[in-house]
Every structure is written in C-alpha cells, then in structure tokens.
Amino acid sequence: MATRSRIHVFDTTLRDGEQAPGFSMTPAEKLHLALQLDRLGVDIIEAGFPISSDGDFEAVRAIAGAVRRPIIAGLARAIPADIDRAWAALAGAARPRIHVFLATSDIHLEHKLRITRQQCLEQVRTSVAHARAYCEDVEFSAEDATRTDLAFLCEVAVAAVRAGATTINLPDTVGYALPADIQRMFTEVGRQIGTLAILSAHCHNDLGLAVANSIAAVQAGARQVECTINGIGERAGNASLEEFVMALQVRADALPYDTGIHTQALMPTSSALSAVVGVAVPPNKAIVGANAFAHEAGIHQDGMLKHQLTYEIMRPETVGAPGTRLVLGKHSGMRGLDARCRALGHRLRQPELERLYTKVTALADRTKTVDDDQLAAIIREETATPIALGAAAASRRGGAVLR
Ligand code: KIV
Ligand code: ZN
C-alpha cells in the first residue's frame, strides 16, 4: 500500500478571508473563530495582518495568547516596520510564524512596486533574514507566483530559503493558473529547493479552480495548503478548506494524503463563520451548503430510499451535517411522498396517496417546496383525521431527515 503523506492545513479565513468586502471581523469575533478553527484541527491559523490596524494587531495578539496548539501566523510585507509589528503581536504565541510576502511577477514589479528583479531579490533576502532574527518559523510568499517568470521564481525561492525561510508559498494570487501550470511550477521550484523548506499552495478562485489547483500542487510536492472556511477571500475567494479536505478524504483511493482535520467539525465551523460575518452560505455550496445533502427529484429520492450511495458520495454526519433531506417539490415522486407521510406517522393506501400526490405537486408548483406542516395540513384534508406532528417542527427548511 502506498505511504500516505501528511498535508498541513493553513487556514487564512481570519486574514485573506476577512479581506473580502463585508467580511471584516472584530478582535473578539476573530478569537471566537480561532478557537473553533483549533477544534477543527487546522495546523496553522493566519490570525491577521498586524500592521494593517490596531484592531488587527490586537486580534493577532489575543489569538497568539489564547490558542496554543496550532501555529499562529501573522502577515507582513517585506519591510522592517511590518515585520517588527508582526513579531510584536506574535511574540507571546506558543508556536509563532512570521509570514513575509513580496510580489515577484514583472507586472507587479514594474507597475506596482516599481523595482527591478535584482532589487526584489535583495528585498527577499533582507526581509526574510530580518524575520528569521525574531522567529525560527518564517514563511515567504512570492505574490503573483503563477505569473512570475519561472526561472526568476526559482531564484527567489532559493534566496528566501538561504536567508532562513522554512516554508515557501507560491500563490496563484489572481486565480489565473490551470492545474497543469501549477504542477509545472511546483515541480520546478521543488527541484531547486529540495527538502530545505516546505512548499505551500495558496490558490484564488477567480476561474473556479482553486481547489483543483490546490490538489494539483499537492500532487506536485506541496505539503501545505492555504485555504479558508466557506472559501471566503479576496474577489472570488480562496480554496475552500472543506472542499479540499473532503476531496482528499472521499478520493483517498487516488489521493494518498491525510490532514489533521476533524471533519465532523466542518459544518459547525462553517455555520460559526456565517453567523459572525452575517453572510449565508449559498445553498448549492459543496459540503456545507443547505442542499449538499438534499434531494428533490423523484428518481433521486427513489434511489436514496433504496440505498444512500446512489446519490451521495459521503455521509452527511462525516462533515457534521444534520442528515440527508428528502425535499418535497414539484419534481418529487410517489415514493418520496410516501416516505414523508410515514415519517409523520401516516401509512396511506394507494388511492389516498395518489390524491395526496396531485395536491402536493399542485401546491409545489406555487410554493416551490412543501414542508412538513403544509404536508400535514393536506393529509388532514385528505384523511380528515388529526395528525401528530412529531418530526415536523424539526424540518422547517422544507425536508424530512432520512435516518
Ligand atoms: O494571494 C496572495 O498572494 C496572498 C499573499 C499575501 C500570500 O494572499
Ligand atoms: Zn491570497
């Protein structure tokens, strides 16, 4: 059996995630989420960007003091003032990491930083050495790595490692790369730095490829993946932690990599983040969306009632979701309806069921879904008997939980 490699999960929900418009968090909210990320089992929490504001400095300092198991990282541009501030926030951590970044693509060097490649290399060396004088754990990120000349990127990575960086992160800052580009980049940089540092992926989702690219990076030697809960982050977001982790778990046959994530804590963590930022997860979001384990179509409901594996590739409990839901709508079939009636304590005869079915689909045409209270009311009309609504209140979202 192939040996399985351990992938370090670097969560940047509290840094890159909160950089998305409308997602900023107070120090108390960040601390609350950091404790949840600790329960989830992430290896590294990027707690913030200490120079960006006094509030963010305070958040990083508080998390560093209170969350002792994972590594706590703080972001810094490749300039002394940022690194000093990051260290001031991190110094009390049990396992601190300074994360230094500098753009390396010609587009960024010419138009944003207005420095030459030689100046960039020099800044990498001095800033990493500056951080390393404070802290043994230093990550260097080559911002816009995927649009950087590959030979120059290799020079940068080697310079950073020689200056003391222990992790080299190659971000797809603008979400531009394809999986094959990512594989080429990681393979080449990996060849240059060998085992002197851990390679890390940080993929943005502008083309919807962030998770696929993160997996491609792992296949090409990355052993750290940077991601966020619910995939939040700049523009279209970062690689979603829950999707990346579950892809490795569900496709363990093809992907011989493990993480330390307690997957049952995925849904609670996703919900905790939504509650804090006040932004709901889209229902069709993989793993943690409300529809991730919901089935409305008659053919699917029939399959699910016969065997759960027909239309689900993972059990809802594995990710901390309440359970499979069979939702009654205009696409539902007789078997799904019968199952819902039985769940409410009613075994209807075929003619009754057929009449009920006609009424339920007519209602669903108007209301989209039919919840247990509505179903109970129709059964009452149909059978003229009172109904005890045991399970009804539990499924106000419009679906019975299949157990
Ligand atoms: O996307 C990016 O390049 C970043 C770096 C700061 C790591 O977020
Ligand atoms: Zn980023």
Side-chain angles (χ1 to χ4, degrees):
M1 203 169 122
T3 26
R4 303 184 63 80
S5 301
R6 175 70 155 75
I7 306 302
H8 293 95
V9 173
F10 176 117
D11 182 275
T12 184
T13 306
L14 304 180
R15 197 280 297 169
D16 210 326
E18 83 148 352
Q19 283 176 210
F23 284 81
S24 79
M25 301 168 221
T26 65
E29 289 169 339
K30 280 191 164 197
L31 178 57
H32 168 72
L33 287 175
L35 292 166
Q36 179 61 31
L37 291 169
D38 185 13
R39 287 191 281 275
L40 178 63
V42 307
D43 299 288
I44 302 116
I45 295 175
E46 185 161 51
F49 192 178
I51 196 126
S52 66
S53 74
D54 289 345
D56 223 39
F57 177 89
E58 183 46 40
V60 177
R61 205 190 56 75
I63 292 168
V67 186
R68 310 301 285 178
R69 180 197 56 82
I71 293 171
I72 307 299
L75 187 67
R77 285 169 297 181
I79 51 179
D82 275 40
I83 296 167
D84 295 344
R85 191 79 175 138
W87 181 247
L90 289 166
R95 302 173 70 199
R97 171 180 295 185
I98 302 179
H99 179 189
V100 178
F101 76 100
L102 182 65
T104 52
S105 67
D106 288 338
I107 298 173
H108 280 239
L109 295 188
E110 281 169 27
H111 302 292
K112 185 181 85 174
L113 299 174
R114 304 209 165 101
I115 59 172
T116 63
R117 285 188 182 182
Q118 274 319 307
Q119 288 171 310
C120 170
L121 268 178
E122 201 39 44
Q123 203 174 329
V124 171
R125 290 191 190 100
T126 53
S127 59
V128 170
H130 188 108
R132 189 58 205 256
Y134 284 128
C135 182
E136 286 191 351
D137 187 342
V138 173
E139 172 168 335
F140 175 74
S141 283
E143 189 190 10
D144 206 18
T146 49
R147 294 191 301 170
T148 299
D149 173 75
L150 190 50
F152 180 60
L153 184 65
C154 289
E155 268 189 81
V156 166
V158 169
V161 169
R162 288 201 178 129
T166 43
T167 301
I168 299 294
N169 185 36
L170 305 177
D172 186 20
T173 303
V174 290
Y176 173 75
L178 302 176
D181 303 325
I182 293 281
Q183 291 216 327
R184 196 173 322 111
M185 179 177 77
F186 275 87
T187 304
E188 194 48 40
V189 175
R191 217 193 320 268
Q192 302 293 325
I193 66 168
T195 55
L196 295 174
I198 288 188
L199 274 183
S200 167
H202 175 113
C203 299
H204 279 270
N205 205 31
D206 300 66
L207 294 175
L209 292 171
V211 172
N213 281 340
S214 303
I215 293 170
V218 164
Q219 289 176 313
R223 289 296 172 264
Q224 174 178 289
V225 166
E226 305 195 354
C227 41
T228 59
I229 301 300
N230 298 343
I232 69 169
E234 291 275 10
R235 305 180 309 281
N238 288 66
S240 138
L241 183 150
E242 55 278 5
E243 293 174 21
F244 172 72
V245 166
M246 290 314 293
L248 296 195
Q249 178 159 319
V250 171
R251 294 309 312 274
D253 58 319
L255 300 169
Y257 313 103
D258 293 323
T259 69
I261 296 296
H262 308 300
T263 59
Q264 299 89 334
L266 286 170
M267 190 64 130
T269 310
S270 163
S271 306
L273 174 63
S274 293
V276 162
V277 293
V279 179
V281 173
N284 64 325
K285 166 82 176 63
I287 318 295
V288 292
N291 288 352
F293 300 97
H295 309 268
E296 181 185 319
I299 294 169
H300 289 217
Q301 292 186 341
D302 180 50
M304 286 298 294
L305 287 164
K306 288 172 176 151
H307 200 292
Q308 205 126 16
L309 280 179
T310 53
Y311 288 102
E312 281 182 358
I313 59 169
M314 65 192 105
R315 301 301 308 266
E317 317 79 81
T318 313
V319 301
T324 293
R325 287 188 306 124
L326 299 186
V327 180
L328 282 188
K330 67 174 181 182
H331 305 109
S332 305
M334 200 82 84
R335 256 188 70 88
L337 176 61
D338 189 29
R340 285 281 294 279
C341 292
R342 284 167 192 259
L344 296 180
H346 289 270
R347 288 168 177 268
L348 302 186
R349 289 187 307 274
Q350 191 60 24
E352 281 172 331
L353 200 58
E354 279 167 19
R355 283 202 304 278
L356 192 68
Y357 180 73
T358 308
K359 289 193 169 175
V360 165
T361 45
L363 178 61
D365 260 336
R366 299 195 302 277
T367 60
K368 298 194 177 177
T369 57
V370 174
D371 68 21
D372 283 347
D373 290 340
Q374 292 168 311
L375 178 60
I378 303 175
I379 298 174
R380 212 159 27 231
E381 277 168 31
E382 212 38 64
T383 61
T385 56
I387 288 161
L389 268 187
S395 55
R396 297 261 186 253
R397 285 194 299 172
V401 174
L402 186 70
R403 300 208 185 271

